[in-house]
Every structure is written in structure tokens, then in C-alpha cells.
Amino acid sequence: MASEPGLRIEQRPLSDRARSRFPALRDAPGTVFFDNAAGAQVPEEVLDAIREHLLRRNVQRGGRYDRSQAVEAMLGEARERVASFLNAQSPQETSFGLNSTSLIRMIAECTRPQLRAGDEVVVTELDHEANIGPWLRLEASGVKARFWKIRNPGARLETGDLEELLRSGRVRLVAMPLASNATGGVVDVAAASRLARKAGATTFVDAVHFAPHGRIDVQELGADFLAFSGYKIFGPHMGFLWGRLDALRELKPAREFFIPADPPYAFEAGTQTYEGIAGMLGAMRYLASLDAEGSLPRAMDRIRSDERGLSEALLTALADVRGLTILGESDPGRAEARVPTVSFAISGFDPARIVEHLASRGIQARDGHLYAPRLLEASGIDPKTGLARVSLCHYNTREEIEKLREALHALSSRNT
Ligand SMILES: Cc1ncc(COP(=O)(O)O)c(C=O)c1O
């Protein structure tokens, strides 16, 4: 009996508890923020942590005085938190950086000296260009890039197609996404990593889009490297790199004498944005607080299960709009295969006009190539026109989805 009220609280949508902690959402009640894939809002914890850092400890690490030692302790705690967010084996496996693009670029360039002419790297048609371009540039050293193509309909990556590519016996690295920032589709990275490892290839995972939507367990994924960005997971603008310790140690990033040769510092160029890292610690605290006992993995599982309901509601609402087609999985019954990010077209309407129409009704979304022009081309969509995209996260609500449905109905009925 005593557990009943608690149970009822757990069954309420997370958004009921979460929204009031985000000043940007709280202070703009009429606005629907559906552009989370481009960067999420931040909770009070993040603002407090940044303010606290800049007010009380805005000094360089490594000094022999208390405030400097407090900076060192904060950096250590943040590294530990990020490691537990990923279930890394050790905090030493996680490095801080500017953003994911620069971290992916750094790993690609560190990989270059290890590759020989004729070696192959596999990139996917599903990725954001940040996880394609840096690997394609290895072709200047005689490396061959091969595309793991999507299967339509559904813009899916089939593991069997990777198996086919790996048969050449020359693939040294596979770069892939954990989820697509255009289709919202989740990729079976664990299966792909197993195949790659068997074929002697290392794996690089772009987890930027998946990270706000669920638990990442790098040990279960079995990959070698992974990157994600703070500003997509309710924190400040910065990036994170994870690598298996022995895989990191094989790489030799450029470094000045004052930068230690061992991970994680070998991968951190100069002074980091301490206030950003403090803010990230705040974001991790916020996420953990979504679980009654403060467990970060359980909180991320809760987000994932709540968002399944949002995906179902969103896909059901969109199915109701005449002339609307979705890129990727559109079946509300298969919401477990995606996160609540949906890109779509409405016949007879330019995506830019769709998004302007939504903006006029207080719904903030996005349009364009979504930095995935190869995916759009492979799906028969002109990247110059692109698609409209709505991207939701745990603080969004079914009422907001209903507003979207009404707005799109109003637009599509103009076409009669
Ligand atoms: C899937 C994906 N990968 C990579 C990036 C690039 O991340 P960053 O802006 O941190 O460089 C983005 C940014 O939107 C993204 O959505």
C-alpha cells in the first residue's frame, strides 16, 4: 500500500516534473520548442553550476591554493560523471573538447598514420556529415572509403550490408551513428561492432543524436571510440570523446611539451572551458535527479521509455496530415526503433514555408539538409530543398504534439 502513491508519481510523464526546471520553457509558456536536435534547453542546475564556477573558482587549475584545487576537483568529478553516463571502464577514457566535429576530426587525423594505401574505411549514408567528411579525407593518403548504404523504405542500415563490405578483408575502421539526426532511427551498433571487431576493424560511433534520449553503455556497444556533445544533452556547448584505453593509447595526437602523452589529457588541447565543464556536471546532476534514487542509467532508461510514448503520439498525429511523408520509420507501432525526431515533407509545400508556418504559430522546428545531404540524396530528396524536422525530448508534451497536428492540418487544408 505504502508504495502506491510513489508508483503513481512514476507513471506521470517526465515532462510534468522536468519543464519547471528549464527557465527557457517556463518563461515562454506559449512556445513549443521542437528543435532539440539542434541543441536542447538547459535546466537551472546548469545555470547555477556555471555561475558558481565563474563567481567562486574562475582560476587556472594546477595552482597551490584552494580555489585552483577546487577547479581540479570539479574537473575530476565531471570526468567521473561523464564516465558513468557512458558506463566507461575508467574516467581516463573520457576527454573534454570543443564539440563533436573537432573531436571526430582529431581521431580521423590520428588514424591517418596507421593506415596504408589500399586500406579501407567504411562510412554510412545515414550519418551527419561530421562523421563522414573527416574519414573521406583519409582518401588523400590512398585509403579507400566505402559507403554502408541505407535500405529504403525506412532509411535503415542493415547489419548484413556491413558484413558484405567487411568481406574485402581490408576494412580498418567503421564510422557509424548511434541514431540519425534526420530520421531518428536507432542503429544496432552492438551488432555492427561485433562484426567489425571480427574483421579486425575499429569502430567510431557518433552518439550526438542519441545521447539525450537514452542510456549509452559503451561496454555493451563494444565500440572503440564514441563522441557526443554537451549542448544536445541539456548542457553547455562542448564535446566529449570516449575511447577504449588501449585504442586511445595507440593514437598519437599532436601535442606540445606541456600536454601529457597519456589519455585523457593527450586528447585535450590547452585549457578547456572550465565553466562549460562545470555546467556539464550540472546537466549530469539534473539527469540523475530524474530517477528517484539518483541513478543516471535508470534516469536515461526512464527517458527512453517516456519518449517511446512521445514518438507514438507524434507519428500518429503526423499520419493524420494529408500529403505528409516521413523519411525513415513511420509506423507508430515501431517506436522502439527510433527517438522522437521526425523529418517530413508535405506535398505541394516547400519545407522552409512549412517551418515558417509553424513558427508563426509558436512552434519552433527546422528545415534544410540537416547536415545529412548524402542521406537525402540516397532517399531521392533534393538536399537544397531538404525536409522539415521536428525533434522532441523528454520535456515535450502530448499537448504540444496536438498543437503541431492542428498547425499542419491548417496548412495542408490550404492545398484543397
Ligand atoms: C548526429 C550529429 N553528429 C555530429 C554533430 C556535430 O556536433 P557538434 O556541433 O558538437 O560539432 C551533430 C550536430 O548537430 C549531430 O546532430
Side-chain angles (χ1 to χ4, degrees):
M1 289 295 282
S3 66
E4 265 187 46
L7 196 65
R8 269 201 296 277
I9 287 166
E10 269 313 289
Q11 281 163 347
R12 275 170 41 209
L14 271 184
S15 55
D16 280 7
R17 279 186 284 150
R19 288 185 79 79
S20 62
R21 315 237 318 249
F22 288 78
L25 301 175
R26 206 176 55 211
D27 300 345
T31 303
V32 175
F33 186 64
F34 278 176
D35 195 20
N36 292 286
Q41 298 303 315
V42 294
E44 300 273 15
E45 282 89 338
V46 171
L47 302 168
D48 290 348
I50 294 174
R51 188 181 154 78
E52 179 73 9
H53 175 84
L54 291 173
L55 274 177
R56 303 195 198 289
R57 321 182 280 267
N58 192 23
V59 299
Q60 183 58 288
R61 74 197 304 175
R64 298 183 200 283
Y65 53 95
D66 55 357
R67 285 195 299 161
S68 179
Q69 283 152 8
V71 171
E72 201 67 56
M74 179 276 289
L75 294 172
E77 192 188 344
R79 209 182 291 283
E80 270 173 30
R81 273 287 177 149
V82 173
S84 73
F85 180 71
L86 299 173
N87 193 27
Q89 286 197 321
S90 136
Q92 220 189 327
E93 295 181 332
T94 61
S95 303
F96 306 128
L98 184 61
N99 51 43
S100 291
T101 303
S102 59
L103 291 167
I104 300 170
R105 206 188 262 177
M106 172 173 62
I107 296 302
E109 283 311 315
C110 290
T111 307
R112 189 187 291 278
Q114 299 186 328
L115 300 175
R116 281 191 240 126
D119 283 347
E120 296 173 355
V121 295
V122 169
V123 289
T124 81
E125 280 181 340
L126 192 61
D127 267 281
H128 187 289
E129 189 63 20
N131 197 29
I132 301 176
W135 306 109
L136 293 189
R137 285 198 294 277
L138 297 176
E139 288 189 309
S141 303
V143 171
K144 189 171 169 202
R146 298 176 68 207
F147 271 89
W148 180 2
K149 296 193 165 129
I150 52 153
R151 290 282 189 102
N152 279 315
R156 286 167 296 110
L157 288 177
E158 288 275 331
T159 312
D161 293 338
L162 174 64
E163 204 165 9
E164 207 46 54
L165 290 166
L166 292 168
R167 273 193 224 291
S168 71
R170 296 202 190 98
V171 178
R172 300 286 309 281
L173 183 134
V174 179
M176 62 191 138
L178 188 46
S180 159
N181 65 302
T183 68
V186 176
V187 176
D188 189 352
V189 165
S193 297
R194 266 195 306 276
L195 288 173
R197 176 146 306 182
K198 230 163 75 190
T202 54
T203 42
F204 190 102
V205 179
D206 175 347
V208 175
H209 191 67
F210 184 82
H213 301 294
R215 186 162 61 93
I216 299 175
D217 184 327
V218 288
Q219 299 188 50
E220 266 176 26
L221 291 178
D224 296 292
F225 302 100
L226 178 143
F228 69 98
S229 309
Y231 72 102
K232 310 282 174 137
I233 60 162
F234 320 105
H237 285 92
M238 59 177 300
F240 299 88
L241 172 71
W242 167 85
R244 271 192 312 106
L245 206 50
D246 48 344
L248 288 169
R249 282 186 171 138
E250 278 174 29
L251 304 180
K252 302 278 170 276
R255 68 183 180 86
E256 292 65 32
F257 83 90
F258 56 84
I259 294 180
D262 216 28
Y265 305 111
F267 296 89
E268 294 177 355
T271 304
Q272 300 297 307
T273 57
Y274 298 157
E275 60 275 30
I277 295 169
M280 204 58 227
L281 195 47
M284 294 287 166
R285 279 195 201 113
Y286 161 74
L287 285 169
S289 78
L290 296 177
D291 176 67
E293 276 131 45
S295 152
L296 198 44
R298 264 209 310 272
M300 297 314 293
D301 285 343
R302 175 70 210 278
I303 285 181
R304 183 93 178 103
S305 77
D306 243 55
E307 289 190 3
R308 192 172 301 178
L310 284 179
S311 289
E312 280 166 17
L314 179 59
L315 292 171
T316 305
L318 293 178
D320 210 26
V321 179
R322 194 153 39 87
L324 187 148
T325 48
I326 288 173
L327 175 64
E329 181 58 68
S330 59
D331 179 357
R334 287 194 27 83
E336 79 289 349
R338 58 151 50 256
V339 297
T341 297
V342 179
S343 298
F344 59 91
I346 302 179
S347 74
F349 294 94
D350 189 330
R353 299 290 87 74
I354 298 172
V355 170
E356 275 169 11
H357 167 76
L358 293 178
S360 74
R361 290 179 164 235
I363 302 170
Q364 298 171 341
R366 189 157 291 265
D367 67 281
H369 53 56
L370 311 171
Y371 305 88
R374 298 168 202 270
L375 167 66
L376 268 55
E377 262 163 15
S379 310
I381 298 159
D382 181 355
K384 282 200 216 74
T385 316
L387 290 169
R389 179 184 72 187
V390 287
S391 53
L392 283 60
C393 69
H394 70 279
Y395 51 56
N396 290 119
T397 66
R398 283 156 202 263
E399 292 72 34
E400 290 179 315
I401 293 173
E402 183 52 26
K403 267 196 179 178
L404 173 73
R405 193 185 66 77
E406 282 165 13
L408 291 176
H409 256 300
L411 182 74
S412 67
S413 59
R414 279 190 207 162
N415 205 21
T416 49

